[in-house]
Amino acid sequence: MSSATTIFFNHSCILLLCLLSTPSWTSSFSGSETGDLEKRGDLFPQILRDEAVARLHELGKVSDASGYLERTFLSPASLRAIHLIQKWMEDAGLRTWVDQMGNVHGRVEGPNANAEALLLGSHMDTVVDAGKFDGSLGIISAISALKVMHDNGKLQKLRRPVEVIAFCDEEGVRFQSTFLGSGAIAGILPATTLEIPDKRNATVREILKESSIETTEESFLQLKYDPKSVWGYVEVHIEQGPVLEQVGFPLGVVKGIAGQTRLKVTVRGSQGHAGTVPMSMRQDPMVAAAEQIVLMESLCKHPEEYLSYDGRCSDSSVKSLSSSLVCTVGEISTWPSASNVIPGQVTYTMDIRAIDDLGREAVIYDLSNRIYQICDRRSVSCIIEHKHNAGAVICDSGLSSQLKSAAYSALKRMEGDIQEEVPTLMSGAGHDAMAMSHLTKVGMLFVRCRGGISHSPEEHVLDNDVWAAGLATLSFLENLQ
Ligand code: GLV
Ligand code: MN
Ligand code: MN
């Protein structure tokens, strides 16, 4: 593998990478054969694999739904998750607290309490019908690595304070506004965030109060960490894509994270009787929405056929845009939603992502104009609201190279000699690291997942890959700068 192996999530690059290299340990590191590794006390399998995996499954059962995993911001299951995570942090020798947004913190000061702190973390909320690893893996691998240090008497010798944070909301399922936890700590959310309503019209402030967390505008704004007190933020996360599995590596270093925008589109027409209003006399918001959604697919598949090469977009930027641009309508609702009624209103979400921020903005501009044109032509009205906007993030090169060394050393400790370089890749998924990048430098480590599947109960990480993630985190902490 070449010395600068960067993998974007376009398939031609993946294929090229596979052709260039067949890592020697693709099959031997399958996770099903551990050989004598179990007996190697210095690899801490009981804590970094067995206990970590057991905890992932235990947390995966903490759900508001029966039969599938759903744990959204400050739901009853989230409160149970908070207690469980806090208990695990204490078991690792950390001082813990829950803040005014419901983030759980576990911290060790060490001998240099005034030094800038390393923050480690990920999110404890989930999507609906989620997998067990998204978010939880980053929290649990950080706690496990610190527990190993605690048990070995190294926790109090850490070069700088280390704090694990389990963020309350990254998915944005309940309030459509993502990063409520990491955004508050990074100081990028306005105090009006407390007044955002959920679908039942309960606001963030009211939901916090229901959980006995009294948050005022002042205490919300005080959640922001002083940038001078923080050294960096590191997040371990499942890849949620197929690249690491294809190249046969358990771990990869994230080079950057795609920017994302979430829109809410409301289309209003004329509600009526499905049997009596002639087709030519309808103002049907459902068919307008359908046309808009199909247009979105077409534009996002072939942006070069839609976007003009003006000042906003050069020829090459439009070409590179098409390799990372992804657009999704994941939620749609109609009113009054009955089979014999022409709907009066249709509301749907659009999630638009790309590595290139200018390209994403150009897509949103063009798409919005075309959505309005469709509404005009069909004599319905349209409102497009921007619910979430996050620019693309480039991970810090210093942190990334330390993570790369940590991953390499962990895999070498587990496997013996490793010839290949740990891959670097881009993330199409959003992460708390995006919000934290406004506070401090960020680095991320990805962990291979089966079939690249995520946001699904099929999501799976091999037990040995959980182990590798914990061992890499441990190695990173042992060599903390
Ligand atoms: C979070 O998982 C996101 O990328 O939407
Ligand atoms: Mn997710
Ligand atoms: Mn996640």
Side-chain angles (χ1 to χ4, degrees), residues 69-224:
L69 176 57
E70 175 179 347
R71 201 170 57 231
T72 57
F73 177 62
L74 281 191
S75 67
S78 285
L79 297 177
R80 298 201 298 280
I82 286 175
H83 292 302
L84 202 53
I85 291 168
Q86 200 168 7
K87 187 178 83 178
W88 293 337
M89 286 175 169
E90 278 160 15
D91 172 57
L94 306 176
R95 174 174 65 84
T96 69
W97 69 98
V98 179
D99 70 24
Q100 300 292 103
M101 278 302 273
N103 297 308
V104 192
H105 303 245
R107 183 168 171 117
V108 53
E109 303 298 338
N112 303 309
N114 291 329
E116 297 166 319
L118 164 68
L119 309 181
L120 299 168
S122 198
H123 58 100
M124 60 185 156
D125 68 319
T126 73
V127 292
V128 178
D129 200 15
K132 292 175 185 151
F133 299 87
D134 180 1
S136 302
L137 180 61
I139 299 167
I140 289 173
S141 58
I143 295 174
S144 304
L146 287 164
K147 178 170 172 169
V148 168
M149 298 192 92
H150 176 55
D151 289 1
N152 293 340
K154 290 185 182 166
L155 193 63
Q156 295 303 335
K157 295 184 185 144
L158 277 161
R159 276 229 177 121
R160 53 178 71 254
V162 174
E163 183 172 322
V164 183
I165 312 179
F167 294 111
C168 60
D169 167 85
E170 181 263 2
E171 304 287 5
V173 171
R174 187 165 191 171
F175 289 95
Q176 286 300 312
S177 166
T178 67
F179 308 136
L180 289 179
S182 46
I185 285 177
I188 55 170
L189 299 178
T192 49
T193 302
L194 293 174
E195 312 311 330
I196 299 176
D198 69 5
K199 285 180 190 149
R200 290 185 297 121
N201 251 343
T203 63
V204 172
R205 187 201 298 271
E206 287 160 355
I207 297 298
L208 285 161
K209 197 166 174 192
E210 269 173 25
S211 311
S212 309
I213 305 177
E214 294 276 351
T215 310
T216 61
E217 291 196 355
E218 197 182 13
S219 63
F220 175 77
L221 294 174
Q222 277 169 0
L223 286 172
K224 175 179 164 47

